[in-house]
Amino acid sequence: HSGIIRCLVVQLGRGSDVLETLLALRATQQLYPRMEITLVCRENFAELAREADWLREVVALPLLENSENIKDQNVKEMMGPAARWISPLIQSESWDLIVNWSYSEASSYLTALLPAKLKLGYTRRKDLDFSSGDAWSQFIHGVVQESLDPGIHLTDMITTQLLTALQVQFGEPADAGNQSVTGRDFFNRLPISG
């Protein structure tokens, strides 16, 4: 596979979750430089995400404060606003990869609405039943989120999840040579306030 890999990453969590996501994506992009990454995040973290000039695009979603409490009965009334919010994410072709690292029930509806060749993380089936089809997401949901071992770094886990999927679906990564593959250089460009 020699073309661009169009990747949509959904991270609707806290600021620390956005930073973990950016670290994982930066390290991954160094091994898969043909990845074009669009990041979806909450409005209040969009400015931080836009500091990562290697992202193709940052889309800020104006989610409601109680969006994590979405229940099946109010999903229908949320569909109109949700359709307007996701319209910038609709493409003529499906995404190559959608990664939902929000790990929340509410975010699973968003990823269910968008077509992709491969989805990682939480999504919904056609009947809107919850789905977490890949083993990494099941592990993160069932083990890591329930009792995070301080020796386990979530950034390393999500990086490995994405690298594994990319290797299986799109072939071997680029040779990094002696260069260290890390997302730490992202912090070198952040403005320091204080």
Side-chain angles (χ1 to χ4, degrees), residues 24-186:
L25 292 174
R26 183 64 183 139
T28 302
Q29 193 181 46
Q30 290 174 39
L31 292 173
Y32 286 88
R34 53 197 172 102
M35 270 182 52
E36 285 186 353
I37 303 168
T38 297
L39 177 68
V40 178
C41 64
R42 295 178 188 261
E43 282 179 323
N44 50 335
F45 302 122
E47 186 176 332
L48 167 68
R50 287 187 179 106
E51 290 293 325
D53 58 3
W54 42 268
L55 291 174
R56 181 179 178 275
E57 184 178 10
V58 174
V59 176
L61 290 187
L63 293 182
L64 302 173
E65 287 303 315
N66 63 352
S67 63
E68 291 304 314
N69 299 321
I70 290 178
K71 303 288 183 229
D72 289 337
Q73 64 267 19
N74 67 356
V75 166
K76 290 181 182 173
E77 58 194 61
M78 292 289 296
M79 290 312 232
R84 286 189 297 280
W85 296 337
I86 68 166
S87 63
L89 305 175
I90 304 295
Q91 302 184 30
S92 58
E93 296 178 46
S94 66
W95 293 91
D96 292 311
L97 180 63
I98 293 179
V99 181
N100 181 359
W101 281 337
S102 302
Y103 297 109
S104 70
E105 293 278 324
S107 67
S108 68
Y109 288 99
L110 173 62
T111 55
L113 294 171
L114 298 169
K117 295 174 185 166
L118 177 65
K119 292 183 183 182
L120 302 176
Y122 293 1
T123 189
R124 298 273 162 174
R125 293 189 282 268
K126 289 182 182 183
D127 62 2
L128 291 183
D129 279 347
F130 179 78
S131 174
S132 174
D134 64 286
W136 280 102
S137 295
Q138 291 173 5
F139 177 75
I140 290 170
H141 176 66
V143 177
V144 177
Q145 285 187 326
E146 297 301 319
S147 58
L148 185 58
D149 179 336
I152 296 176
H153 297 282
L154 188 58
T155 304
D156 294 337
M157 292 183 67
I158 60 178
T159 304
T160 303
Q161 175 193 33
L162 183 54
L163 285 172
T164 302
L166 287 166
Q167 186 175 14
V168 168
Q169 296 294 317
F170 301 102
E172 294 296 320
D175 184 2
N178 292 331
Q179 171 189 353
S180 113
V181 176
T182 178
R184 281 183 276 157
D185 72 324
F186 171 71

